[in-house]
Amino acid sequence: MGIMNTLRCPKCASATVSKTVFRCPSCDGVLEVNVEIGHLKRSDFDAMRRNRDHTIWRWFDFFPVEEVSSIVSLGEGCTPLIHATRLGESVGVPQLYLKNDTVLPTGSLKDRSNSVGISKAKELGFTTATVMSTGNAAASVAAYSAAAGLKSVVMVPAGTAPSKIIQARAYGATVVVIDGDFDYEVAKLYKAAVKEFGWYDCLSSNPYRDEGKKSYAYEFVDQLNERIPDWVIHPTAGGTGIYAMWKGFQEFLSLGWIDRTPKLVASQSAAAAPLVAAFERGLTDIEPVVARDTVAESIQVGNPVSLGWRALAALRESHGTAVALTDPEILEAQSLIGRLAGLFAEPAAATSVAAAKKLREEGVIRADDLVICNLTGHGLKQPDAIKLSREELQPIPPTLEALREHVRNVF
Ligand SMILES: Cc1ncc(COP(=O)(O)O)c(C=O)c1O
Ligand SMILES: [Zn+2]
């Protein structure tokens, strides 16, 4: 049984006895759930690592779910941590590791969050879950709701890649495409809908779902056999990944299971980089920006209102940094990941490798540092980011002669 404390406001320390009110009654900040872990022993850690359940649920005691029977799992977690030697050589970081979250059940990191979030929805007795999303969260909420027997309503902005809408629909979600700006108009409607219909909110304003990405930290410690990476770079939009990884590392530190923590880096598209701007200006809170169009469409968020400030604090506490990447830099990284590591990451995910390259060039990352880049979404989520030339699509006659001619041009 996971032992859960009351939800508490990290801003003004107010607590609430309700398990279904996610915002602070005093300051409207997103509440935080703290799971009681003080009783865990080193032997528990060893047992968790030996557990044959290769999902995030081997770390059950760290999640705010009270009963094992509430768990809604599609096999998420324990994704490969790949030592990408050829890619590492190319960017000057021989110890470069890729956390391959493209293989999660719905193809993105959101499954870490929603497995925990929807399990809690089931435990609390909700019947409909909702999310607004640039696409990946929509598919993930839809899939986990389907597995749990909940209805789902997902709101996406007009212009979202059809592949992402199709995926959510395939899982039976009601998809609502909204003709409005994501950060303001869609967000306003979403908030009003949660209030009006009483649906279970699966955004980063849900403290339970935010706990899921702590599993990154646990998996790194396990997979590197307790070596601590020097850097972890995470493609960042709402800030949940940075915030939650930091929390996970702090939990292990407090239990004495690790003795140091990595520096965390948020990688963002230069077209939507409010965290980078706030970090560079030394602010303690985010100043929203108007997100411009970017090839990294999954992280095109200008106002990370719920957890942005906490991610900012995590970057600073970890002595990390935040990096903005241009679209050409992102597409170059996507291509390098494909050609040198054999993985197909969506552009948003490739920002982590683009940031590693940039930080190495600037001398911030040293040649002998161990660096993990999170690959947070599959390239097939947004296939049209790869532009094929007319020649590539031009058929050749089915003869050996034509093939000889063709490969002579290619090699
Ligand atoms: C592919 C991908 N990477 C990264 C993120 C970043 O999310 P967060 O900053 O909340 O961890 C998202 C979602 O917004 C995403 O879809
Ligand atoms: Zn408060």
Side-chain angles (χ1 to χ4, degrees), residues 263-328:
K263 295 185 263 292
L264 302 185
V265 180
S267 57
Q268 299 204 289
S269 164
L275 212 69
V276 178
F279 185 83
E280 286 176 352
R281 291 171 58 203
L283 306 180
T284 51
D285 209 345
I286 305 286
E287 284 192 353
V289 300
V290 176
R292 286 176 284 117
D293 281 348
T294 167
V295 68
E297 61 179 37
S298 295
I299 53 171
Q300 191 180 329
V301 171
N303 187 13
V305 64
S306 299
L307 291 177
W309 68 281
R310 303 215 69 191
L312 206 49
L315 295 180
R316 294 216 173 91
E317 283 166 30
S318 77
H319 305 289
T321 187
V323 184
L325 291 315
T326 63
D327 277 10

Coordinates of all heavy atoms in Angstrom, one line a residue, residues 263-328:
K263 N 23.1 17.2 -12.7 CA 22.7 18.6 -13.1 C 21.6 18.4 -14.2 O 21.8 17.5 -15.1 CB 23.9 19.3 -13.8 CG 25.0 19.6 -12.8 CD 26.1 20.5 -13.4 CE 27.2 19.7 -13.9 NZ 28.1 19.1 -12.9
L264 N 20.5 19.1 -14.0 CA 19.4 18.9 -14.9 C 19.4 20.1 -16.0 O 19.7 21.2 -15.6 CB 18.1 18.9 -14.2 CG 17.9 17.8 -13.1 CD1 16.5 17.8 -12.5 CD2 18.2 16.4 -13.7
V265 N 19.0 19.7 -17.2 CA 19.0 20.7 -18.3 C 17.6 20.6 -18.9 O 17.1 19.5 -19.3 CB 20.1 20.4 -19.3 CG1 20.0 21.5 -20.5 CG2 21.4 20.4 -18.7
A266 N 17.0 21.8 -19.1 CA 15.7 21.8 -19.9 C 16.1 22.3 -21.3 O 16.7 23.3 -21.5 CB 14.8 22.8 -19.3
S267 N 15.7 21.5 -22.3 CA 15.9 21.9 -23.7 C 14.6 22.3 -24.3 O 13.5 21.6 -24.1 CB 16.5 20.7 -24.5 OG 15.7 19.6 -24.5
Q268 N 14.5 23.5 -24.9 CA 13.3 24.0 -25.4 C 13.5 24.5 -26.9 O 14.7 24.8 -27.3 CB 12.8 25.2 -24.6 CG 12.5 24.9 -23.1 CD 11.5 25.8 -22.5 OE1 11.9 27.0 -22.2 NE2 10.3 25.4 -22.3
S269 N 12.4 24.6 -27.6 CA 12.5 25.3 -28.9 C 12.7 26.8 -28.7 O 12.0 27.3 -27.9 CB 11.3 25.0 -29.7 OG 11.2 25.9 -30.8
A270 N 13.5 27.4 -29.5 CA 13.7 28.9 -29.4 C 12.4 29.6 -29.6 O 12.2 30.7 -29.2 CB 14.8 29.4 -30.3
A271 N 11.4 28.9 -30.3 CA 10.2 29.6 -30.6 C 9.2 29.5 -29.4 O 8.2 30.2 -29.4 CB 9.5 28.9 -31.8
A272 N 9.6 28.8 -28.4 CA 8.7 28.6 -27.2 C 9.6 28.3 -26.0 O 9.6 27.2 -25.6 CB 7.6 27.6 -27.4
A273 N 10.3 29.3 -25.5 CA 11.3 29.1 -24.5 C 11.2 29.9 -23.3 O 12.1 30.6 -22.8 CB 12.7 29.3 -25.1
P274 N 10.0 29.9 -22.6 CA 9.8 30.7 -21.5 C 10.7 30.3 -20.3 O 11.1 31.2 -19.5 CB 8.3 30.5 -21.1 CG 7.9 29.2 -21.7 CD 8.8 29.1 -23.0
L275 N 11.0 29.1 -20.2 CA 11.8 28.6 -19.1 C 13.3 29.1 -19.3 O 13.9 29.5 -18.3 CB 11.8 27.1 -19.0 CG 11.9 26.4 -17.7 CD1 10.7 26.7 -16.9 CD2 12.1 24.9 -17.8
V276 N 13.7 29.0 -20.5 CA 15.1 29.5 -20.8 C 15.2 31.0 -20.5 O 16.1 31.4 -19.8 CB 15.5 29.2 -22.3 CG1 16.9 29.8 -22.6 CG2 15.4 27.7 -22.6
A277 N 14.2 31.7 -20.9 CA 14.2 33.2 -20.7 C 14.2 33.5 -19.2 O 15.0 34.3 -18.7 CB 13.0 33.8 -21.3
A278 N 13.4 32.8 -18.4 CA 13.3 33.1 -17.0 C 14.6 32.6 -16.3 O 15.1 33.3 -15.4 CB 12.1 32.3 -16.4
F279 N 15.2 31.5 -16.7 CA 16.4 31.0 -16.2 C 17.5 32.1 -16.4 O 18.2 32.4 -15.5 CB 16.8 29.7 -16.8 CG 18.0 29.1 -16.1 CD1 17.9 28.3 -15.0 CD2 19.3 29.2 -16.7 CE1 19.0 27.8 -14.4 CE2 20.4 28.7 -16.1 CZ 20.2 27.9 -14.9
E280 N 17.6 32.5 -17.6 CA 18.7 33.4 -18.0 C 18.6 34.8 -17.3 O 19.6 35.4 -16.9 CB 18.8 33.6 -19.5 CG 19.4 32.4 -20.2 CD 19.4 32.5 -21.7 OE1 18.8 33.4 -22.3 OE2 20.0 31.5 -22.3
R281 N 17.3 35.2 -17.0 CA 17.1 36.5 -16.4 C 17.1 36.4 -14.8 O 16.9 37.3 -14.1 CB 15.8 37.1 -16.9 CG 15.9 37.5 -18.3 CD 14.5 37.9 -18.9 NE 13.9 39.0 -18.1 CZ 12.6 39.2 -18.1 NH1 11.8 38.4 -18.8 NH2 12.1 40.2 -17.4
G282 N 17.3 35.2 -14.3 CA 17.4 35.0 -12.9 C 16.1 35.1 -12.2 O 16.0 35.4 -11.0
L283 N 15.0 34.9 -12.9 CA 13.6 35.0 -12.3 C 13.3 33.8 -11.5 O 13.8 32.7 -11.7 CB 12.6 35.2 -13.4 CG 12.8 36.4 -14.4 CD1 11.7 36.5 -15.4 CD2 12.9 37.7 -13.6
T284 N 12.4 33.9 -10.5 CA 11.9 32.8 -9.7 C 10.6 32.2 -10.3 O 10.1 31.2 -9.9 CB 11.7 33.1 -8.3 OG1 10.9 34.3 -8.2 CG2 13.1 33.3 -7.6
D285 N 10.0 33.0 -11.2 CA 8.7 32.5 -11.8 C 8.8 32.8 -13.3 O 9.6 33.6 -13.8 CB 7.5 33.2 -11.2 CG 6.3 32.3 -11.3 OD1 6.3 31.3 -12.0 OD2 5.3 32.6 -10.6
I286 N 7.9 32.1 -14.0 CA 7.9 32.2 -15.5 C 7.2 33.4 -15.9 O 6.1 33.7 -15.4 CB 7.2 31.0 -16.1 CG1 7.8 29.7 -15.6 CG2 7.2 31.0 -17.6 CD1 9.2 29.3 -16.2
E287 N 7.7 34.1 -16.9 CA 6.9 35.2 -17.6 C 6.5 34.5 -18.9 O 7.3 34.2 -19.8 CB 7.8 36.4 -17.8 CG 7.9 37.2 -16.6 CD 8.5 38.6 -16.8 OE1 8.9 38.9 -17.9 OE2 8.5 39.3 -15.8
P288 N 5.1 34.4 -19.1 CA 4.6 33.7 -20.3 C 5.1 34.4 -21.5 O 5.3 35.6 -21.6 CB 3.1 33.8 -20.1 CG 2.9 34.2 -18.7 CD 4.1 34.8 -18.2
V289 N 5.3 33.6 -22.6 CA 5.7 34.2 -23.9 C 4.6 33.7 -24.9 O 3.9 32.7 -24.6 CB 7.0 33.7 -24.4 CG1 8.1 34.1 -23.5 CG2 7.1 32.2 -24.6
V290 N 4.5 34.4 -26.0 CA 3.6 33.9 -27.1 C 4.4 32.8 -27.9 O 5.4 33.2 -28.5 CB 3.1 35.0 -28.0 CG1 2.3 34.4 -29.1 CG2 2.3 36.0 -27.2
A291 N 4.0 31.6 -27.8 CA 4.7 30.5 -28.5 C 4.6 30.7 -30.0 O 3.4 30.8 -30.5 CB 4.2 29.2 -28.0
R292 N 5.7 30.7 -30.7 CA 5.6 30.7 -32.2 C 5.6 29.3 -32.7 O 6.0 28.4 -32.0 CB 6.8 31.5 -32.7 CG 6.7 33.0 -32.5 CD 7.9 33.8 -32.9 NE 9.0 33.7 -32.0 CZ 10.2 33.1 -32.3 NH1 10.4 32.6 -33.5 NH2 11.1 33.0 -31.4
D293 N 5.3 29.2 -34.0 CA 5.3 27.9 -34.6 C 6.8 27.3 -34.6 O 7.7 28.0 -34.8 CB 4.8 27.9 -36.1 CG 3.3 28.0 -36.1 OD1 2.7 27.7 -35.1 OD2 2.8 28.3 -37.2
T294 N 6.9 26.0 -34.4 CA 8.2 25.4 -34.4 C 8.0 23.9 -34.8 O 6.9 23.3 -34.7 CB 8.8 25.4 -33.0 OG1 9.9 24.5 -33.0 CG2 7.8 25.0 -31.9
V295 N 9.1 23.4 -35.4 CA 9.0 22.0 -35.8 C 8.8 21.1 -34.5 O 8.3 20.0 -34.6 CB 10.3 21.6 -36.6 CG1 11.5 21.6 -35.7 CG2 10.1 20.3 -37.3
A296 N 9.3 21.6 -33.4 CA 9.1 20.8 -32.1 C 7.7 21.1 -31.5 O 7.5 21.6 -30.5 CB 10.2 21.3 -31.1
E297 N 6.7 20.7 -32.3 CA 5.3 21.1 -32.0 C 4.8 20.5 -30.6 O 4.0 21.1 -30.0 CB 4.4 20.7 -33.1 CG 4.3 19.2 -33.4 CD 3.3 18.9 -34.5 OE1 3.2 19.6 -35.5 OE2 2.6 17.8 -34.3
S298 N 5.4 19.4 -30.2 CA 4.9 18.8 -28.9 C 5.3 19.7 -27.7 O 4.8 19.5 -26.6 CB 5.4 17.4 -28.7 OG 4.9 16.6 -29.7
I299 N 6.3 20.5 -27.9 CA 6.7 21.3 -26.7 C 6.5 22.8 -27.0 O 7.2 23.7 -26.5 CB 8.2 21.0 -26.3 CG1 9.2 21.2 -27.4 CG2 8.3 19.7 -25.6 CD1 10.6 21.1 -27.0
Q300 N 5.5 23.1 -27.9 CA 5.2 24.5 -28.2 C 4.3 25.1 -27.2 O 3.1 25.2 -27.4 CB 4.6 24.5 -29.6 CG 4.5 25.9 -30.2 CD 3.9 25.9 -31.6 OE1 4.1 24.9 -32.3 NE2 3.1 26.9 -32.0
V301 N 4.8 25.4 -26.0 CA 4.0 25.9 -24.9 C 4.7 27.2 -24.4 O 5.9 27.2 -24.1 CB 4.0 24.8 -23.8 CG1 3.4 25.4 -22.5 CG2 3.2 23.6 -24.2
G302 N 3.9 28.2 -24.4 CA 4.5 29.5 -24.0 C 4.2 29.9 -22.5 O 4.8 30.8 -22.0
N303 N 3.2 29.1 -21.9 CA 2.9 29.5 -20.5 C 2.8 28.3 -19.6 O 1.7 27.8 -19.4 CB 1.5 30.3 -20.6 CG 1.1 30.8 -19.2 OD1 2.0 30.9 -18.3 ND2 -0.1 31.2 -19.1
P304 N 3.9 27.8 -19.2 CA 3.9 26.6 -18.3 C 3.4 27.0 -16.9 O 4.2 27.0 -16.0 CB 5.3 26.1 -18.4 CG 6.1 27.3 -18.6 CD 5.2 28.3 -19.4
V305 N 2.2 27.2 -16.8 CA 1.7 28.0 -15.6 C 1.7 27.1 -14.3 O 1.9 27.7 -13.2 CB 0.2 28.5 -15.9 CG1 -0.8 27.3 -16.1 CG2 -0.3 29.4 -14.8
S306 N 1.5 25.8 -14.4 CA 1.4 25.0 -13.2 C 2.8 24.7 -12.6 O 3.0 24.9 -11.4 CB 0.7 23.7 -13.5 OG -0.6 23.9 -14.0
L307 N 3.7 24.2 -13.4 CA 4.9 23.7 -12.8 C 6.2 24.4 -13.3 O 7.3 24.0 -12.9 CB 5.1 22.2 -13.0 CG 4.1 21.3 -12.2 CD1 4.3 19.8 -12.6 CD2 4.3 21.4 -10.7
G308 N 6.0 25.4 -14.1 CA 7.2 26.1 -14.7 C 8.1 26.6 -13.6 O 9.3 26.4 -13.6
W309 N 7.5 27.2 -12.6 CA 8.3 27.8 -11.5 C 9.1 26.7 -10.7 O 10.2 27.0 -10.2 CB 7.5 28.7 -10.6 CG 6.5 27.9 -9.8 CD1 5.3 27.5 -10.2 CD2 6.6 27.6 -8.4 NE1 4.6 26.8 -9.1 CE2 5.4 26.9 -8.0 CE3 7.5 27.8 -7.4 CZ2 5.1 26.4 -6.7 CZ3 7.3 27.4 -6.1 CH2 6.1 26.7 -5.8
R310 N 8.5 25.6 -10.6 CA 9.1 24.5 -9.8 C 10.3 23.9 -10.7 O 11.3 23.5 -10.1 CB 8.1 23.4 -9.5 CG 7.0 24.1 -8.7 CD 6.4 23.1 -7.6 NE 7.4 22.9 -6.5 CZ 7.2 22.0 -5.6 NH1 6.2 21.2 -5.6 NH2 8.1 21.8 -4.7
A311 N 10.0 23.8 -12.0 CA 11.1 23.3 -12.9 C 12.3 24.3 -12.8 O 13.5 23.8 -12.7 CB 10.6 23.2 -14.3
L312 N 12.0 25.5 -12.8 CA 13.0 26.6 -12.7 C 13.9 26.4 -11.4 O 15.1 26.4 -11.5 CB 12.3 27.9 -12.7 CG 13.0 29.2 -13.2 CD1 13.6 29.0 -14.5 CD2 12.0 30.3 -13.2
A313 N 13.2 26.2 -10.3 CA 13.9 25.9 -9.1 C 14.7 24.7 -9.1 O 15.9 24.7 -8.7 CB 12.9 25.8 -7.9
A314 N 14.2 23.6 -9.8 CA 15.0 22.4 -9.9 C 16.2 22.5 -10.7 O 17.3 22.0 -10.4 CB 14.1 21.3 -10.5
L315 N 16.1 23.3 -11.8 CA 17.3 23.6 -12.6 C 18.4 24.2 -11.8 O 19.6 23.9 -11.8 CB 17.0 24.5 -13.8 CG 16.0 23.9 -14.9 CD1 15.7 24.9 -16.0 CD2 16.5 22.6 -15.5
R316 N 18.0 25.2 -11.0 CA 18.9 26.0 -10.2 C 19.5 25.1 -9.1 O 20.7 25.1 -8.9 CB 18.3 27.2 -9.6 CG 17.9 28.2 -10.7 CD 18.1 29.6 -10.2 NE 17.8 30.5 -11.4 CZ 16.6 31.1 -11.6 NH1 15.5 30.8 -10.9 NH2 16.5 31.8 -12.7
E317 N 18.6 24.4 -8.4 CA 19.1 23.6 -7.3 C 20.1 22.5 -7.7 O 21.0 22.1 -7.0 CB 17.9 22.9 -6.5 CG 17.2 23.9 -5.6 CD 15.8 23.3 -5.2 OE1 15.7 22.1 -5.1 OE2 14.9 24.1 -5.0
S318 N 19.9 22.0 -8.9 CA 20.7 21.0 -9.5 C 22.0 21.5 -10.1 O 22.8 20.8 -10.6 CB 20.0 20.1 -10.5 OG 19.9 20.8 -11.7
H319 N 22.1 22.9 -10.2 CA 23.3 23.5 -10.8 C 23.2 23.2 -12.3 O 24.3 23.1 -13.0 CB 24.6 23.1 -10.2 CG 24.6 23.4 -8.8 ND1 24.7 24.7 -8.2 CD2 24.6 22.6 -7.7 CE1 24.7 24.6 -6.9 NE2 24.6 23.3 -6.6
G320 N 22.1 23.1 -12.9 CA 21.9 22.8 -14.3 C 21.7 24.1 -15.1 O 22.1 25.1 -14.7
T321 N 21.0 23.9 -16.2 CA 20.8 25.1 -17.1 C 19.6 24.9 -18.0 O 19.0 23.8 -17.9 CB 22.1 25.4 -17.9 OG1 22.0 26.6 -18.6 CG2 22.5 24.3 -18.9
A322 N 19.4 25.8 -18.9 CA 18.3 25.7 -19.8 C 18.8 26.2 -21.2 O 19.5 27.2 -21.2 CB 17.1 26.6 -19.4
V323 N 18.4 25.5 -22.2 CA 19.0 25.8 -23.6 C 17.8 25.9 -24.6 O 17.0 25.1 -24.6 CB 19.9 24.6 -24.0 CG1 20.6 25.0 -25.3 CG2 21.0 24.4 -23.0
A324 N 17.9 26.9 -25.4 CA 17.0 27.1 -26.5 C 17.6 26.7 -27.8 O 18.7 27.1 -28.1 CB 16.5 28.6 -26.6
L325 N 16.9 26.0 -28.7 CA 17.4 25.4 -29.9 C 16.5 25.9 -31.1 O 15.3 26.0 -31.0 CB 17.3 23.9 -29.9 CG 18.3 23.1 -29.0 CD1 19.7 23.7 -29.0 CD2 17.8 23.0 -27.6
T326 N 17.2 26.3 -32.2 CA 16.5 26.7 -33.4 C 16.0 25.5 -34.1 O 16.5 24.4 -33.9 CB 17.4 27.5 -34.3 OG1 18.4 26.6 -34.8 CG2 18.0 28.7 -33.7
D327 N 15.0 25.7 -35.0 CA 14.5 24.6 -35.8 C 15.5 23.8 -36.6 O 15.6 22.6 -36.6 CB 13.3 25.0 -36.7 CG 12.0 25.1 -35.9 OD1 12.0 25.0 -34.7 OD2 10.9 25.3 -36.5
P328 N 16.5 24.5 -37.3 CA 17.5 23.8 -38.0 C 18.4 23.0 -37.0 O 18.8 21.8 -37.4 CB 18.4 24.9 -38.6 CG 17.4 26.1 -38.8 CD 16.5 26.0 -37.6

